[in-house]
Each structure stands twice: as C-alpha cells, then as structure tokens.
Amino acid sequence: MSLRSNDRQWGSIAKFFHWIIALAILGNGTFGLLMDLAHSPMQKINWLALHKSIGLTVLALVLLRVLWRWGDVRPREEPAPRWQQWAARCVHGTLYVLIVALPLSGWWYNSVTGKPLQWFKLFNLPALVAKNDELRGFTHAVHEYLFWFLLLVLVAHVGAALKHHLSDNDNVLRRMLPFARLRNGSTSEGERP
C-alpha cells in the first residue's frame, strides 16, 4: 500500500488520518458524555483534562490532514448520480467544518471559565478569550450541540458508505478501509464517461 493516494484509492497516510480522527472523536465524545460517572471530584478533573487533551489532538490532526490533502491526489469518484456526488461533497465539507469547530468550541468554553488548558500536562495553551461567566452556559451549549450535530452528520456519512458497500457493491468504502482489496472494474480506465 502506497503512502500517497492514487486515482483508485486513498494512500495509507490519508487512511491513517481518517481512522485515527474518527476513533478519537467517537472515543472522546463518549468519554465526555460519561464524565459525570466519575467517583470523585479529582477523578472528574483528571478525566476532563484528558478530554481536553484528546480534543486538542483531534484539532491538530485534522489541520495536518487538511495540509496533507492539499498536496495529495484525490481518487476518482465512483460513477454515481450528480445529486449523490453533490451530497457527498456537502457531507464531507460539513464534517471538516464540525471537526475543527468542535475542539475550538471546547477551547472557547474552557477560556470563558478561566481555567488553564494543558495538553497532556506537557504545556499550557493560551485562552482564546477572557474569562466571562455570563458566556459559560452558552459556550458549553455550543460545544455540546456541535457534538450532537457532528454525530448526526457522521450517521449520514457512515450510512452512505454502507449503502455503497452493501447495496451498490462499489469501492467507495473499500478504498478507505486499511486492508481492503478493491473490487475490479468499478474505477478502472475506460469505464468512466
């Protein structure tokens, strides 16, 4: 498997970014929802610090992914109706915006609370804005609603990938899976109009 993408499939670096970001978002989102189950205030503080560090890591990874995409080729689209191609672009664009907005909104929320923001206890990051108790509830709600909206868009994304895989039997999902073999013919030369 090549590090770089080609006209048939995504390269291993693009796949790595895709799957590590997906796992980090789902894991950190679940972790965020379960934080109230902490047995002590200190455990909750430690869990919250870990949640913030993972969120900052997701932000860094998605920015690296965007930089990589600018220099990497994009596989050709599978033959599909124009509306499906448009919907796929909209969903992917929305995912990128939300994956950046979600950790930034958490950083914003942390900033208005006036608490320090550390990355895995290695270094502090600056506040995005000054402490503001009046914005605390609003910024937390923005962070939470962005998470739920991201989950909704992810359901559409995963649903479309499964539809392509199970119903259309094409390579849309296969070319992003780490070790999947492509089905012959669907993106080969001469089949595209």
Side-chain angles (χ1 to χ4, degrees):
M1 180 185 325
S2 172
L3 292 178
R4 299 185 65 82
S5 304
N6 59 43
D7 66 336
R8 285 188 46 100
Q9 67 181 338
W10 296 103
S12 56
I13 292 178
K15 290 177 183 183
F16 168 79
F17 279 131
H18 178 274
W19 291 107
I20 198 73
I21 290 169
L23 291 173
I25 289 170
L26 293 175
N28 207 32
T30 303
F31 190 50
L33 294 172
L34 298 176
M35 236 178 283
D36 288 335
L37 300 177
H39 297 298
S40 69
M42 194 58 181
Q43 185 180 39
K44 186 169 183 175
I45 289 169
N46 289 332
W47 285 6
L48 187 58
L50 182 60
H51 176 74
K52 293 174 187 181
S53 294
I54 294 170
L56 290 169
T57 303
V58 168
L59 180 60
L61 285 171
V62 76
L63 294 176
L64 288 171
R65 181 179 182 180
V66 168
L67 287 173
W68 178 257
R69 282 283 308 270
W70 278 339
D72 197 23
V73 297
R74 179 182 175 88
R76 287 180 289 153
E77 292 181 356
E78 292 278 334
R82 199 175 297 281
W83 73 267
Q84 284 184 10
Q85 293 174 5
W86 178 83
R89 283 188 208 100
C90 288
V91 167
H92 284 109
T94 303
L95 281 173
Y96 274 105
V97 168
L98 290 171
I99 292 169
V100 170
L102 187 60
L104 284 176
S105 70
W107 194 345
W108 181 33
Y109 170 61
N110 191 82
S111 297
V112 301
T113 65
K115 295 177 182 169
L117 181 61
Q118 292 184 333
W119 186 72
F120 293 108
K121 299 183 181 180
L122 296 175
F123 57 86
N124 288 355
L125 285 97
L128 294 177
V129 295
K131 181 179 178 182
N132 186 336
D133 289 331
E134 294 174 7
L135 282 177
R136 188 177 187 153
F138 175 73
T139 56
H140 185 268
V142 167
H143 186 59
E144 190 171 333
Y145 285 124
L146 282 173
F147 171 72
W148 291 114
F149 186 44
L150 176 61
L151 278 185
L152 185 66
V153 177
L154 281 173
V155 167
H157 179 66
V158 171
L162 290 174
K163 179 248 184 216
H164 278 279
H165 191 69
L166 300 173
S167 177
D168 299 346
N169 197 27
D170 61 24
N171 284 321
V172 168
L173 178 59
R174 284 182 189 96
R175 64 188 186 178
M176 184 52 85
L177 291 173
F179 301 105
R181 297 184 68 172
L182 295 182
R183 201 178 123 259
N184 287 331
S186 68
T187 56
S188 63
E189 294 294 332
E191 286 195 0
R192 307 243 342 146

